[in-house]
Amino acid sequence: MTWSCWTSISRSYVMSSCHTCARRLQQSNLQRLYSVFIRYTPRRPSYLTLKQPEHGIKNHNPFTRSQEEAWRKKNKTVLTYIAATAIGMIGMSYAAVPLYRLYCQATGLGGTAVAGHNVDQVETMEPVKDRIIKVTFNADVHASLQWNFRPQQTEIYVVPGETALAFYKAKNPTDKPVIGISTYNVVPFDAGQYFNKIQCFCFEEQRLNPHEEVDMPVFFYIDPEFAEDPGMARVDTITLSYTFFEAKDGQNLPLPGYN
């Protein structure tokens, strides 16, 4: 007869197995073997049962109560960081488009005309008379907007360091008020960093009543540094393009330069 308890490594398993072995010896009427077994067993297993495990088993757990509490605190901290990161990523996803648009307006990236201007620079800049640039104008309307939108002039000629004024015309031919909003870009894209708008109707909601028609001005200038950039040496034509969309709640306008 083979008894697994004599070769077991775990003490708790030894005690439970010894108790089982003792019961087998009693049931087999092997009283002499049972007496020897009880005599040489390290601890009497009479108080152990299969339903009542040894109380010393918990002592073999490598994690004490304090260690378990420390692990729980660490897990809570990790979960807090994960939740904060997820919330931050959601917030950044909502802010990405307007932040990118502001960045494009500040740097001219993606063919976006630079927003804002330095009053002192406008007053003191010197026109570069020998560098004539043709500026053409384009107008588009999204399919969802029932407006008539067009530039009042197809092209004008300017020089770097000189202000210029152009006009677009928009009309609402429908029988209901419609609110529109526009985006824009400059082609070639690299010229956008030198195209500065002093006044513009872009990214602002424009409400037109039924059959109303309005003029929309664009006051701009090309930075004199345009003439000093070797990359602009072969650029003689710049196109300013506007696209109008119907303004709706939750609508995301196309990013400048990539629409």
mmCIF file of all heavy atoms in Angstrom, residues 204-242:
data_model
loop_
_atom_site.group_PDB
_atom_site.id
_atom_site.type_symbol
_atom_site.label_atom_id
_atom_site.label_comp_id
_atom_site.label_asym_id
_atom_site.label_seq_id
_atom_site.Cartn_x
_atom_site.Cartn_y
_atom_site.Cartn_z
ATOM 1 N N GLU A 204 -16.676 82.671 -37.992
ATOM 2 C CA GLU A 204 -17.697 83.414 -37.254
ATOM 3 C C GLU A 204 -19.049 83.127 -37.898
ATOM 4 O O GLU A 204 -19.175 83.151 -39.128
ATOM 5 C CB GLU A 204 -17.406 84.914 -37.268
ATOM 6 C CG GLU A 204 -16.133 85.303 -36.529
ATOM 7 C CD GLU A 204 -15.908 86.805 -36.557
ATOM 8 O OE1 GLU A 204 -16.746 87.516 -37.167
ATOM 9 O OE2 GLU A 204 -14.913 87.263 -35.977
ATOM 10 N N GLU A 205 -20.055 82.872 -37.074
ATOM 11 C CA GLU A 205 -21.372 82.566 -37.609
ATOM 12 C C GLU A 205 -21.968 83.790 -38.295
ATOM 13 O O GLU A 205 -21.960 84.896 -37.754
ATOM 14 C CB GLU A 205 -22.290 82.069 -36.497
ATOM 15 C CG GLU A 205 -21.877 80.710 -35.923
ATOM 16 C CD GLU A 205 -22.878 80.183 -34.915
ATOM 17 O OE1 GLU A 205 -23.793 80.959 -34.543
ATOM 18 O OE2 GLU A 205 -22.751 79.018 -34.500
ATOM 19 N N GLN A 206 -22.476 83.570 -39.486
ATOM 20 C CA GLN A 206 -23.104 84.629 -40.280
ATOM 21 C C GLN A 206 -24.570 84.252 -40.494
ATOM 22 O O GLN A 206 -24.871 83.242 -41.119
ATOM 23 C CB GLN A 206 -22.385 84.777 -41.631
ATOM 24 C CG GLN A 206 -20.877 84.922 -41.540
ATOM 25 C CD GLN A 206 -20.463 86.259 -40.972
ATOM 26 O OE1 GLN A 206 -21.180 87.255 -41.079
ATOM 27 N NE2 GLN A 206 -19.287 86.303 -40.360
ATOM 28 N N ARG A 207 -25.457 85.063 -39.952
ATOM 29 C CA ARG A 207 -26.904 84.800 -40.086
ATOM 30 C C ARG A 207 -27.467 85.667 -41.210
ATOM 31 O O ARG A 207 -27.330 86.901 -41.187
ATOM 32 C CB ARG A 207 -27.622 85.105 -38.777
ATOM 33 C CG ARG A 207 -29.145 84.932 -38.845
ATOM 34 C CD ARG A 207 -29.816 85.429 -37.584
ATOM 35 N NE ARG A 207 -31.256 85.402 -37.690
ATOM 36 C CZ ARG A 207 -32.025 84.383 -37.330
ATOM 37 N NH1 ARG A 207 -31.458 83.301 -36.819
ATOM 38 N NH2 ARG A 207 -33.335 84.430 -37.459
ATOM 39 N N LEU A 208 -28.099 85.008 -42.150
ATOM 40 C CA LEU A 208 -28.757 85.708 -43.249
ATOM 41 C C LEU A 208 -30.257 85.416 -43.204
ATOM 42 O O LEU A 208 -30.661 84.241 -43.183
ATOM 43 C CB LEU A 208 -28.178 85.280 -44.592
ATOM 44 C CG LEU A 208 -26.703 85.628 -44.867
ATOM 45 C CD1 LEU A 208 -26.322 85.242 -46.287
ATOM 46 C CD2 LEU A 208 -26.444 87.103 -44.623
ATOM 47 N N ASN A 209 -31.038 86.462 -43.201
ATOM 48 C CA ASN A 209 -32.491 86.316 -43.234
ATOM 49 C C ASN A 209 -32.947 85.920 -44.634
ATOM 50 O O ASN A 209 -32.155 85.948 -45.586
ATOM 51 C CB ASN A 209 -33.158 87.625 -42.804
ATOM 52 C CG ASN A 209 -32.881 87.943 -41.349
ATOM 53 O OD1 ASN A 209 -32.892 87.046 -40.496
ATOM 54 N ND2 ASN A 209 -32.608 89.202 -41.051
ATOM 55 N N PRO A 210 -34.197 85.520 -44.787
ATOM 56 C CA PRO A 210 -34.669 85.109 -46.114
ATOM 57 C C PRO A 210 -34.400 86.171 -47.182
ATOM 58 O O PRO A 210 -34.722 87.356 -46.996
ATOM 59 C CB PRO A 210 -36.162 84.891 -45.894
ATOM 60 C CG PRO A 210 -36.278 84.538 -44.444
ATOM 61 C CD PRO A 210 -35.237 85.354 -43.759
ATOM 62 N N HIS A 211 -33.737 85.761 -48.253
ATOM 63 C CA HIS A 211 -33.430 86.602 -49.412
ATOM 64 C C HIS A 211 -32.502 87.775 -49.067
ATOM 65 O O HIS A 211 -32.410 88.730 -49.848
ATOM 66 C CB HIS A 211 -34.719 87.129 -50.041
ATOM 67 C CG HIS A 211 -35.688 86.038 -50.413
ATOM 68 N ND1 HIS A 211 -35.509 85.213 -51.495
ATOM 69 C CD2 HIS A 211 -36.840 85.621 -49.790
ATOM 70 C CE1 HIS A 211 -36.516 84.344 -51.561
ATOM 71 N NE2 HIS A 211 -37.336 84.567 -50.536
ATOM 72 N N GLU A 212 -31.801 87.681 -47.977
ATOM 73 C CA GLU A 212 -30.849 88.742 -47.612
ATOM 74 C C GLU A 212 -29.516 88.525 -48.328
ATOM 75 O O GLU A 212 -29.059 87.398 -48.485
ATOM 76 C CB GLU A 212 -30.632 88.767 -46.103
ATOM 77 C CG GLU A 212 -29.684 89.875 -45.639
ATOM 78 C CD GLU A 212 -29.446 89.864 -44.141
ATOM 79 O OE1 GLU A 212 -29.962 88.945 -43.474
ATOM 80 O OE2 GLU A 212 -28.747 90.771 -43.655
ATOM 81 N N GLU A 213 -28.882 89.630 -48.717
ATOM 82 C CA GLU A 213 -27.595 89.598 -49.393
ATOM 83 C C GLU A 213 -26.643 90.561 -48.692
ATOM 84 O O GLU A 213 -27.012 91.698 -48.396
ATOM 85 C CB GLU A 213 -27.753 89.977 -50.861
ATOM 86 C CG GLU A 213 -26.485 89.819 -51.681
ATOM 87 C CD GLU A 213 -26.718 90.164 -53.139
ATOM 88 O OE1 GLU A 213 -27.370 91.203 -53.412
ATOM 89 O OE2 GLU A 213 -26.260 89.397 -54.008
ATOM 90 N N VAL A 214 -25.398 90.086 -48.417
ATOM 91 C CA VAL A 214 -24.433 90.915 -47.686
ATOM 92 C C VAL A 214 -23.079 90.848 -48.371
ATOM 93 O O VAL A 214 -22.766 89.890 -49.082
ATOM 94 C CB VAL A 214 -24.299 90.451 -46.216
ATOM 95 C CG1 VAL A 214 -25.597 90.619 -45.447
ATOM 96 C CG2 VAL A 214 -23.811 89.008 -46.147
ATOM 97 N N ASP A 215 -22.297 91.901 -48.149
ATOM 98 C CA ASP A 215 -20.900 91.936 -48.585
ATOM 99 C C ASP A 215 -20.002 91.577 -47.404
ATOM 100 O O ASP A 215 -20.208 92.070 -46.286
ATOM 101 C CB ASP A 215 -20.534 93.324 -49.109
ATOM 102 C CG ASP A 215 -21.265 93.671 -50.387
ATOM 103 O OD1 ASP A 215 -21.606 92.739 -51.138
ATOM 104 O OD2 ASP A 215 -21.518 94.873 -50.628
ATOM 105 N N MET A 216 -19.016 90.759 -47.653
ATOM 106 C CA MET A 216 -18.108 90.306 -46.604
ATOM 107 C C MET A 216 -16.679 90.706 -46.962
ATOM 108 O O MET A 216 -16.109 90.186 -47.933
ATOM 109 C CB MET A 216 -18.202 88.778 -46.431
ATOM 110 C CG MET A 216 -19.579 88.306 -46.018
ATOM 111 S SD MET A 216 -19.671 86.505 -45.824
ATOM 112 C CE MET A 216 -21.340 86.325 -45.206
ATOM 113 N N PRO A 217 -16.084 91.628 -46.197
ATOM 114 C CA PRO A 217 -14.746 92.123 -46.550
ATOM 115 C C PRO A 217 -13.628 91.237 -46.011
ATOM 116 O O PRO A 217 -13.766 90.561 -44.988
ATOM 117 C CB PRO A 217 -14.720 93.495 -45.877
ATOM 118 C CG PRO A 217 -15.601 93.330 -44.681
ATOM 119 C CD PRO A 217 -16.684 92.374 -45.082
ATOM 120 N N VAL A 218 -12.506 91.263 -46.716
ATOM 121 C CA VAL A 218 -11.271 90.610 -46.288
ATOM 122 C C VAL A 218 -10.162 91.637 -46.433
ATOM 123 O O VAL A 218 -9.817 92.041 -47.557
ATOM 124 C CB VAL A 218 -10.953 89.353 -47.116
ATOM 125 C CG1 VAL A 218 -9.674 88.699 -46.609
ATOM 126 C CG2 VAL A 218 -12.106 88.369 -47.073
ATOM 127 N N PHE A 219 -9.617 92.063 -45.315
ATOM 128 C CA PHE A 219 -8.543 93.058 -45.297
ATOM 129 C C PHE A 219 -7.260 92.314 -44.933
ATOM 130 O O PHE A 219 -7.176 91.703 -43.867
ATOM 131 C CB PHE A 219 -8.869 94.148 -44.281
ATOM 132 C CG PHE A 219 -7.996 95.358 -44.381
ATOM 133 C CD1 PHE A 219 -7.455 95.766 -45.585
ATOM 134 C CD2 PHE A 219 -7.711 96.111 -43.244
ATOM 135 C CE1 PHE A 219 -6.654 96.895 -45.675
ATOM 136 C CE2 PHE A 219 -6.917 97.232 -43.313
ATOM 137 C CZ PHE A 219 -6.385 97.623 -44.537
ATOM 138 N N PHE A 220 -6.243 92.366 -45.791
ATOM 139 C CA PHE A 220 -5.070 91.520 -45.589
ATOM 140 C C PHE A 220 -3.820 92.207 -46.117
ATOM 141 O O PHE A 220 -3.874 93.252 -46.792
ATOM 142 C CB PHE A 220 -5.266 90.176 -46.302
ATOM 143 C CG PHE A 220 -5.305 90.282 -47.799
ATOM 144 C CD1 PHE A 220 -4.157 90.110 -48.566
ATOM 145 C CD2 PHE A 220 -6.492 90.564 -48.470
ATOM 146 C CE1 PHE A 220 -4.181 90.211 -49.944
ATOM 147 C CE2 PHE A 220 -6.525 90.667 -49.853
ATOM 148 C CZ PHE A 220 -5.380 90.499 -50.597
ATOM 149 N N TYR A 221 -2.682 91.592 -45.841
ATOM 150 C CA TYR A 221 -1.413 91.996 -46.434
ATOM 151 C C TYR A 221 -0.471 90.798 -46.454
ATOM 152 O O TYR A 221 -0.653 89.827 -45.695
ATOM 153 C CB TYR A 221 -0.774 93.167 -45.675
ATOM 154 C CG TYR A 221 -0.256 92.817 -44.297
ATOM 155 C CD1 TYR A 221 1.058 92.407 -44.102
ATOM 156 C CD2 TYR A 221 -1.087 92.890 -43.171
ATOM 157 C CE1 TYR A 221 1.539 92.090 -42.841
ATOM 158 C CE2 TYR A 221 -0.619 92.573 -41.913
ATOM 159 C CZ TYR A 221 0.693 92.178 -41.750
ATOM 160 O OH TYR A 221 1.159 91.861 -40.496
ATOM 161 N N ILE A 222 0.510 90.861 -47.308
ATOM 162 C CA ILE A 222 1.540 89.830 -47.389
ATOM 163 C C ILE A 222 2.797 90.364 -46.719
ATOM 164 O O ILE A 222 3.260 91.465 -47.035
ATOM 165 C CB ILE A 222 1.820 89.449 -48.850
ATOM 166 C CG1 ILE A 222 0.554 88.862 -49.466
ATOM 167 C CG2 ILE A 222 2.967 88.446 -48.943
ATOM 168 C CD1 ILE A 222 0.686 88.517 -50.929
ATOM 169 N N ASP A 223 3.327 89.590 -45.798
ATOM 170 C CA ASP A 223 4.493 90.015 -45.033
ATOM 171 C C ASP A 223 5.678 90.297 -45.967
ATOM 172 O O ASP A 223 5.931 89.531 -46.904
ATOM 173 C CB ASP A 223 4.869 88.920 -44.026
ATOM 174 C CG ASP A 223 5.801 89.424 -42.943
ATOM 175 O OD1 ASP A 223 6.928 89.820 -43.298
ATOM 176 O OD2 ASP A 223 5.401 89.420 -41.774
ATOM 177 N N PRO A 224 6.405 91.393 -45.711
ATOM 178 C CA PRO A 224 7.577 91.697 -46.555
ATOM 179 C C PRO A 224 8.625 90.589 -46.572
ATOM 180 O O PRO A 224 9.407 90.492 -47.533
ATOM 181 C CB PRO A 224 8.124 92.984 -45.925
ATOM 182 C CG PRO A 224 6.966 93.595 -45.219
ATOM 183 C CD PRO A 224 6.135 92.449 -44.733
ATOM 184 N N GLU A 225 8.681 89.770 -45.546
ATOM 185 C CA GLU A 225 9.651 88.672 -45.521
ATOM 186 C C GLU A 225 9.381 87.644 -46.619
ATOM 187 O O GLU A 225 10.240 86.807 -46.903
ATOM 188 C CB GLU A 225 9.630 87.993 -44.159
ATOM 189 C CG GLU A 225 10.126 88.893 -43.019
ATOM 190 C CD GLU A 225 10.146 88.165 -41.697
ATOM 191 O OE1 GLU A 225 9.744 86.965 -41.678
ATOM 192 O OE2 GLU A 225 10.550 88.770 -40.690
ATOM 193 N N PHE A 226 8.192 87.700 -47.215
ATOM 194 C CA PHE A 226 7.875 86.812 -48.331
ATOM 195 C C PHE A 226 8.916 86.971 -49.448
ATOM 196 O O PHE A 226 9.335 85.984 -50.064
ATOM 197 C CB PHE A 226 6.476 87.137 -48.863
ATOM 198 C CG PHE A 226 6.072 86.362 -50.083
ATOM 199 C CD1 PHE A 226 5.421 85.145 -49.961
ATOM 200 C CD2 PHE A 226 6.331 86.851 -51.354
ATOM 201 C CE1 PHE A 226 5.051 84.432 -51.097
ATOM 202 C CE2 PHE A 226 5.964 86.150 -52.486
ATOM 203 C CZ PHE A 226 5.321 84.932 -52.357
ATOM 204 N N ALA A 227 9.335 88.212 -49.689
ATOM 205 C CA ALA A 227 10.287 88.483 -50.776
ATOM 206 C C ALA A 227 11.684 87.989 -50.451
ATOM 207 O O ALA A 227 12.509 87.822 -51.362
ATOM 208 C CB ALA A 227 10.316 89.984 -51.084
ATOM 209 N N GLU A 228 11.989 87.737 -49.180
ATOM 210 C CA GLU A 228 13.315 87.306 -48.779
ATOM 211 C C GLU A 228 13.439 85.789 -48.637
ATOM 212 O O GLU A 228 14.531 85.286 -48.421
ATOM 213 C CB GLU A 228 13.697 87.973 -47.452
ATOM 214 C CG GLU A 228 13.660 89.497 -47.504
ATOM 215 C CD GLU A 228 13.913 90.120 -46.146
ATOM 216 O OE1 GLU A 228 14.158 89.334 -45.186
ATOM 217 O OE2 GLU A 228 13.869 91.360 -46.035
ATOM 218 N N ASP A 229 12.314 85.083 -48.741
ATOM 219 C CA ASP A 229 12.319 83.630 -48.575
ATOM 220 C C ASP A 229 12.682 82.972 -49.910
ATOM 221 O O ASP A 229 11.943 83.104 -50.898
ATOM 222 C CB ASP A 229 10.946 83.149 -48.102
ATOM 223 C CG ASP A 229 10.950 81.673 -47.739
ATOM 224 O OD1 ASP A 229 11.936 80.974 -48.046
ATOM 225 O OD2 ASP A 229 9.954 81.215 -47.139
ATOM 226 N N PRO A 230 13.797 82.227 -49.971
ATOM 227 C CA PRO A 230 14.169 81.555 -51.230
ATOM 228 C C PRO A 230 13.102 80.570 -51.691
ATOM 229 O O PRO A 230 12.966 80.329 -52.905
ATOM 230 C CB PRO A 230 15.479 80.849 -50.885
ATOM 231 C CG PRO A 230 16.011 81.576 -49.685
ATOM 232 C CD PRO A 230 14.815 82.037 -48.924
ATOM 233 N N GLY A 231 12.368 80.000 -50.755
ATOM 234 C CA GLY A 231 11.331 79.046 -51.134
ATOM 235 C C GLY A 231 10.162 79.684 -51.846
ATOM 236 O O GLY A 231 9.364 78.984 -52.494
ATOM 237 N N MET A 232 10.019 81.003 -51.745
ATOM 238 C CA MET A 232 8.923 81.713 -52.398
ATOM 239 C C MET A 232 9.370 82.406 -53.682
ATOM 240 O O MET A 232 8.615 83.179 -54.273
ATOM 241 C CB MET A 232 8.338 82.764 -51.436
ATOM 242 C CG MET A 232 7.764 82.200 -50.146
ATOM 243 S SD MET A 232 6.242 81.259 -50.386
ATOM 244 C CE MET A 232 6.873 79.586 -50.186
ATOM 245 N N ALA A 233 10.595 82.144 -54.098
ATOM 246 C CA ALA A 233 11.155 82.858 -55.253
ATOM 247 C C ALA A 233 10.336 82.636 -56.520
ATOM 248 O O ALA A 233 10.206 83.550 -57.350
ATOM 249 C CB ALA A 233 12.605 82.441 -55.467
ATOM 250 N N ARG A 234 9.769 81.455 -56.688
ATOM 251 C CA ARG A 234 9.019 81.151 -57.905
ATOM 252 C C ARG A 234 7.509 81.260 -57.709
ATOM 253 O O ARG A 234 6.746 80.882 -58.602
ATOM 254 C CB ARG A 234 9.374 79.746 -58.389
ATOM 255 C CG ARG A 234 10.841 79.583 -58.790
ATOM 256 C CD ARG A 234 11.092 78.206 -59.367
ATOM 257 N NE ARG A 234 12.495 78.047 -59.768
ATOM 258 C CZ ARG A 234 12.981 76.958 -60.335
ATOM 259 N NH1 ARG A 234 12.185 75.915 -60.580
ATOM 260 N NH2 ARG A 234 14.263 76.894 -60.669
ATOM 261 N N VAL A 235 7.079 81.751 -56.561
ATOM 262 C CA VAL A 235 5.647 81.895 -56.298
ATOM 263 C C VAL A 235 5.213 83.286 -56.730
ATOM 264 O O VAL A 235 5.597 84.281 -56.115
ATOM 265 C CB VAL A 235 5.339 81.661 -54.803
ATOM 266 C CG1 VAL A 235 3.849 81.885 -54.535
ATOM 267 C CG2 VAL A 235 5.747 80.248 -54.391
ATOM 268 N N ASP A 236 4.414 83.361 -57.767
ATOM 269 C CA ASP A 236 3.900 84.639 -58.257
ATOM 270 C C ASP A 236 2.387 84.754 -58.094
ATOM 271 O O ASP A 236 1.823 85.837 -58.292
ATOM 272 C CB ASP A 236 4.259 84.826 -59.736
ATOM 273 C CG ASP A 236 5.768 84.895 -59.953
ATOM 274 O OD1 ASP A 236 6.455 85.497 -59.101
ATOM 275 O OD2 ASP A 236 6.250 84.321 -60.950
ATOM 276 N N THR A 237 1.730 83.640 -57.734
ATOM 277 C CA THR A 237 0.270 83.637 -57.592
ATOM 278 C C THR A 237 -0.113 82.955 -56.287
ATOM 279 O O THR A 237 0.390 81.867 -55.978
ATOM 280 C CB THR A 237 -0.403 82.908 -58.769
ATOM 281 O OG1 THR A 237 -0.022 83.540 -59.989
ATOM 282 C CG2 THR A 237 -1.918 82.941 -58.623
ATOM 283 N N ILE A 238 -0.980 83.618 -55.546
ATOM 284 C CA ILE A 238 -1.509 83.064 -54.294
ATOM 285 C C ILE A 238 -3.031 83.041 -54.404
ATOM 286 O O ILE A 238 -3.640 84.024 -54.846
ATOM 287 C CB ILE A 238 -1.074 83.900 -53.077
ATOM 288 C CG1 ILE A 238 0.443 83.849 -52.912
ATOM 289 C CG2 ILE A 238 -1.765 83.406 -51.808
ATOM 290 C CD1 ILE A 238 0.962 84.713 -51.776
ATOM 291 N N THR A 239 -3.637 81.922 -54.004
ATOM 292 C CA THR A 239 -5.100 81.782 -54.060
ATOM 293 C C THR A 239 -5.659 81.717 -52.649
ATOM 294 O O THR A 239 -5.233 80.889 -51.831
ATOM 295 C CB THR A 239 -5.502 80.516 -54.832
ATOM 296 O OG1 THR A 239 -4.988 80.603 -56.164
ATOM 297 C CG2 THR A 239 -7.013 80.373 -54.884
ATOM 298 N N LEU A 240 -6.615 82.607 -52.366
ATOM 299 C CA LEU A 240 -7.331 82.609 -51.093
ATOM 300 C C LEU A 240 -8.697 81.985 -51.338
ATOM 301 O O LEU A 240 -9.484 82.485 -52.154
ATOM 302 C CB LEU A 240 -7.479 84.028 -50.562
ATOM 303 C CG LEU A 240 -8.278 84.177 -49.260
ATOM 304 C CD1 LEU A 240 -7.605 83.442 -48.104
ATOM 305 C CD2 LEU A 240 -8.480 85.650 -48.920
ATOM 306 N N SER A 241 -8.973 80.902 -50.646
ATOM 307 C CA SER A 241 -10.202 80.139 -50.874
ATOM 308 C C SER A 241 -11.030 80.055 -49.591
ATOM 309 O O SER A 241 -10.493 79.768 -48.518
ATOM 310 C CB SER A 241 -9.863 78.731 -51.370
ATOM 311 O OG SER A 241 -11.031 77.974 -51.587
ATOM 312 N N TYR A 242 -12.354 80.303 -49.727
ATOM 313 C CA TYR A 242 -13.298 80.189 -48.605
ATOM 314 C C TYR A 242 -14.351 79.151 -48.940
ATOM 315 O O TYR A 242 -14.783 79.042 -50.093
ATOM 316 C CB TYR A 242 -13.988 81.531 -48.340
ATOM 317 C CG TYR A 242 -13.137 82.534 -47.601
ATOM 318 C CD1 TYR A 242 -12.309 83.412 -48.296
ATOM 319 C CD2 TYR A 242 -13.164 82.599 -46.218
ATOM 320 C CE1 TYR A 242 -11.523 84.330 -47.632
ATOM 321 C CE2 TYR A 242 -12.387 83.523 -45.542
ATOM 322 C CZ TYR A 242 -11.576 84.379 -46.249
ATOM 323 O OH TYR A 242 -10.798 85.286 -45.579
#
